[in-house]
Amino acid sequence: MSDPMPQRIAVAGSSGLIGGALCRSLSARGDDVVRLVRRPSRDATEVSWDPSTRRLDPQVLDGVDAVINLAGASLGARRWNARQKVELLRSRTDGTTALANAIAETGRPVPLLNASGVGYYGDRGDEILTEESAAGTGFLVDLVHAWEGATEAARAAGAPVARLRTGIVLGRDGDAMRPLLRLTKLGLGGPLGNGRHFWPWITLHDHVRAIEHVLDHRLEGAINLTGPEPARQRDIASEMGRALHRPAIVPAPRLALRVVVGEMGNEIVSSQRALPERLLESGFEHEHTNVRDAIEWMVGQSG
């Protein structure tokens, strides 16, 4: 495919790890990025909005070629209780509903690339999972169902909707990797639970490239944004130890995880052997194809 023409892209969730990297990459390649921010806008590149109202003036999307929504509260910021679960849900569905409705009201089929997660599949052991696999069970499954369902107004209006089912993103300051890097540097890294569960990783670099690929190729439907070779968590821990020259053999039992982080401990040791079948079929090529290269890249970034 030849280089795409510059586009005007509205991005929600631009302050996060992925959103920040994506906006920088889009701008670097010549796209005009409009950031939707929850504080007062600072200049013409920003538009202030309040996603909790579930409303966005469709005029904000005048001249916009696509919308990318990456907004959502961090899963690991706090222990999960009833109130936090509501916040995790609303932070995803409120903004998504507002964007989907605004797209529908424009009367134009503006593509929506909406964040989602491999949590859709639940804990599936060694089963190979593709975008055609059925949903699992559990809180994250219900969360992702509601998140993806909030895009319905845009889809019903004829807009292409891509549901970006993201795996564990390997990158500096990522919510999943930052504490593990810290522990590994202290010599306390190691298997979580028995370490046999699959973690569907992808580097931040490839994740941004994959979103741009989905955007440029106008892909739609469910798309697994993961690396081509999901790895067992114990192997990821081992590679982190090797790259940092630290031992990574001390296990964290499942019960201990539950005590420390609460219900989320069950999700940490859940297994999703998810493959990026749609990405690969559409011609995407990962630059980091195995966990050793990916960890070495991440450690180099976290310098």
Side-chain angles (χ1 to χ4, degrees):
M1 180 178 180
S2 58
D3 292 338
M5 295 290 292
Q7 304 176 77
R8 183 172 174 82
I9 312 297
V11 180
S14 62
S15 63
L17 174 78
I18 298 169
L22 176 65
C23 288
R24 290 190 294 272
S25 181
L26 290 171
S27 295
R29 72 180 203 163
D31 291 320
D32 181 13
V33 178
V34 179
R35 299 175 184 240
L36 303 181
V37 298
R38 289 179 293 175
R39 50 170 172 73
S41 56
R42 295 171 178 166
D43 54 43
T45 68
E46 297 182 345
V47 173
S48 181
W49 76 319
D50 181 2
S52 68
T53 66
R54 293 196 161 203
R55 175 70 184 167
L56 177 68
D57 186 342
Q59 290 185 355
V60 170
L61 302 183
D62 286 351
V64 165
D65 296 302
V67 176
I68 301 175
N69 178 29
L70 304 174
S74 169
L75 291 172
R78 298 181 179 87
R79 289 175 70 94
W80 293 356
N81 54 28
R83 183 175 180 178
Q84 179 63 7
K85 285 182 176 181
V86 170
E87 170 61 20
L88 293 174
L89 177 65
R90 292 196 59 183
S91 70
R92 287 161 171 77
T93 57
D94 286 355
T96 301
T97 298
L99 290 167
N101 286 337
I103 288 171
E105 290 176 40
T106 66
R108 296 187 296 120
V110 180
L112 172 61
L113 283 65
N114 204 74
S116 182
V118 293
Y120 172 90
Y121 303 110
D123 186 3
R124 305 288 279 272
D126 291 354
E127 179 184 355
I128 293 176
L129 304 170
T130 72
E131 292 86 353
E132 300 300 319
S133 299
T137 58
F139 169 67
L140 282 187
V141 177
D142 295 340
L143 178 71
V144 173
H145 262 300
W147 197 2
E148 294 186 351
T151 66
E152 176 58 23
R155 191 200 65 79
V161 174
R163 305 188 298 277
L164 309 177
R165 292 179 181 164
T166 297
I168 295 173
V169 178
L170 307 183
R172 181 177 60 200
D173 296 328
D175 288 341
M177 289 296 108
R178 184 172 54 239
L180 293 183
L181 279 168
R182 187 181 307 121
L183 288 173
T184 303
K185 289 176 181 178
L186 293 173
L188 300 175
L192 302 176
N194 63 22
R196 288 184 51 80
H197 48 289
F198 279 94
W199 273 7
W201 59 269
I202 186 170
T203 62
L204 176 61
H205 175 71
D206 276 342
H207 193 280
V208 168
R209 292 179 58 247
I211 293 176
E212 292 175 343
H213 179 86
V214 172
L215 172 68
D216 296 340
H217 288 75
R218 292 297 190 256
L219 302 183
E220 53 187 299
I223 303 170
N224 291 340
L225 264 58
T226 63
E229 297 181 7
R232 297 189 189 275
Q233 189 276 325
R234 66 187 180 191
D235 296 327
I236 292 176
S238 177
E239 289 299 337
M240 288 177 65
R242 187 192 64 80
L244 291 168
H245 309 290
R246 295 290 190 275
I249 58 175
V250 180
R254 179 186 288 261
L255 179 59
L257 288 173
R258 177 84 185 201
V259 170
V260 172
V261 299
E263 184 180 342
M264 195 179 74
N266 294 333
E267 302 299 338
I268 291 173
V269 295
S270 68
S271 182
Q272 287 116 19
R273 194 177 182 180
L275 298 179
E277 189 170 88
R278 298 266 332 272
L279 273 181
L280 297 176
E281 288 177 349
S282 65
F284 182 76
E285 296 182 359
H286 295 76
E287 291 190 11
H288 303 118
T289 58
N290 61 75
V291 70
R292 173 163 293 190
D293 289 346
I295 295 296
E296 287 182 349
W297 177 86
M298 180 183 68
V299 169
Q301 291 294 300
S302 63

